[in-house]
Amino acid sequence: MSSLLEAKGLYGGYGGADILQGTHLRVESDEIVVIVGPNGAGKSTAMKAVFGLLRIREGEVRYRGEAITNAKPEQMVRHGIAYVPQEKNVFPSLTVRENLEMGAYLMKGDLSQRLDKVYTLFPKLAERRRQQAGLMSGGERQMVAMGRALMIDPQLLMLDEPTAGLSPLLIDETFERIKEINAQGIGVLMVEQNAKQALAIASRGYVLATGSNRHEDTGPNLLADPEVAEMFLGG
Amino acid sequence: MTDILQLLIYGLVLGSVLTMGAIGVSMIFGILRFAHFAHGDFMTLGAYLGLSFISAFGLSSWWALPAAMVGMGVIAVFIDQVLYRRIRRTQPVILLIASFGMALILRSLVQLIWGSDNQTYASGIQFPWQLDWLGGMRLKPDHLWIMLISLALVAGVHLFLTRTRLGKAMRAMSDNMDLALVSGIPAERVIMVTWVIGGALAAAAGVFLGIDTRLHPVMGWTTLLPVFAAAILGGIGRPYGAIAGGMIIGVSMEMSTLLIPAAYKPAVAFAIMVGMLILRPQGIFKGTV
């Protein structure tokens, strides 16, 4: 049985020198996998590379055993992989509902079931469905962004710093939602700055530094590791 | 008072023409991020396509409209595929200059095929209705049609943008290109539809101009400045702004003739554009620049 997602020996970057230096990642369907590490470690770059947003020069990405290295984002979506960028992750002039519809652009048939599913997870979005996304608060926009990604009924959800810029209360709330999403059988791969909280809900974590893997362990073990704690978690 | 009402009508007619051009300019900017300088010559070519169609089949003037719109929709996509698509990934300024080149090519082509003399859709003068209940104001049937058809086209664009999947995708791409890509929105398909609509509306503007006055090879080029002014005034990249911008520029240009000689009409558009760029560069409605 092959992994949901497996990336091996990734080298690549934005055209200049390689930022990724042999990064590897693995996600199973029942896992929440967190990538932590210092600024500039290549965490977001690794996510983008996996999703086909920048060119992988060397290495391989497999999804359920099938090679998807450097596939286009459109094909990723068709495979059932959804990606939420860190910033600018909503369509500001579109309403909440239109944002969600755009998430399911490639999906055929009636959207109402998909919409209901997202509205059940984020009841606030149902209330605000006619509001322009650009006029919402940061926390609400993050819900719209995640909701948009969930519209394809993904197998794998990739989140780039889903709690960036949110208040502590909203951070807790966001992690709760992520756990609920994962409980539905959706594998989650996320990059997080709030490393402690993220590792606390993580099945496994990767510590990335200068584009390569430094540590890999279960969430609790990484949290308990004094070296990791000193390096990345602020003691 | 009648003078002002009369000028208001002329302004709304001109505004209709400008709006048809400005919606396309605004949409193309929103999706492809460059000022499309060949848009004026799209108007010209559209007008002449309509002329050839009605003279080939011996039809009346207004038949030029559907023929021109269909023809220009197709030609716009063709030009995009042959020229703009190849340089899509370069800097916007290269696209802008390429579109300037395309403008010259189209204008020369029009001169080559149809000659540089003035031409008309129909000879003779159309007698206006005298509206006694509006202080004896005069209204030409053609002017009424231009305003009504523009209204219908604007309504059509609105329905397309708000009710159809492709229209919403167009707004989404204009909002946030990167997110549109990761959502799986097929960019090239949306771009193609943008050109169809932009080209068809430019052709409508050209036919309106031709029906209102006459056809000549620089008719579109000389209209490009007020079209850009309208798009900028409305907030470039915002099709709804383009409607407001078109009407404001059109009415201002015609009203200005109360105070200054009519030859300065384009200068009025230019002044509004420059003033707007200094005071509120994002446009009335917040644009994407």
Side-chain angles (χ1 to χ4, degrees), chain B residues 131-284:
Chain B
L131 304 176
D132 288 328
W133 52 280
L134 269 173
M137 193 188 74
R138 277 188 277 261
L139 178 63
K140 273 202 209 173
D142 278 347
H143 283 172
L144 182 67
W145 281 117
I146 288 174
M147 289 187 281
L148 289 179
I149 293 171
S150 299
L151 199 67
L153 290 174
V154 163
V157 169
H158 168 72
L159 289 177
F160 171 75
L161 288 174
T162 53
R163 300 290 152 83
T164 68
R165 216 161 59 113
L166 212 52
K168 290 175 198 175
M170 197 176 280
R171 283 160 56 219
M173 263 178 77
S174 178
D175 254 13
N176 189 335
M177 179 68 83
D178 293 334
L179 190 63
L181 289 179
V182 303
S183 302
I185 292 173
E188 283 300 326
R189 190 125 126 249
V190 175
I191 289 171
M192 207 178 274
V193 176
T194 307
W195 282 110
V196 170
I197 295 175
L201 292 179
V207 171
F208 290 165
L209 269 179
I211 282 179
D212 187 27
T213 56
R214 70 213 186 290
L215 290 88
H216 58 103
V218 292
M219 60 191 283
W221 178 248
T222 51
T223 316
L224 188 64
L225 176 68
V227 164
F228 274 7
I232 288 169
L233 186 65
I236 192 136
R238 294 269 171 264
Y240 295 104
I243 299 162
M247 288 302 165
I248 293 170
I249 298 277
V251 171
S252 312
M253 281 171 74
E254 293 297 342
M255 289 289 180
S256 73
T257 58
L258 283 171
L259 307 168
I260 53 176
Y264 290 113
K265 272 197 264 181
V268 173
F270 195 63
I272 295 175
M273 182 170 83
V274 170
M276 198 66 187
L277 283 173
I278 293 170
L279 296 173
R280 195 176 154 79
Q282 69 272 41
I284 307 174

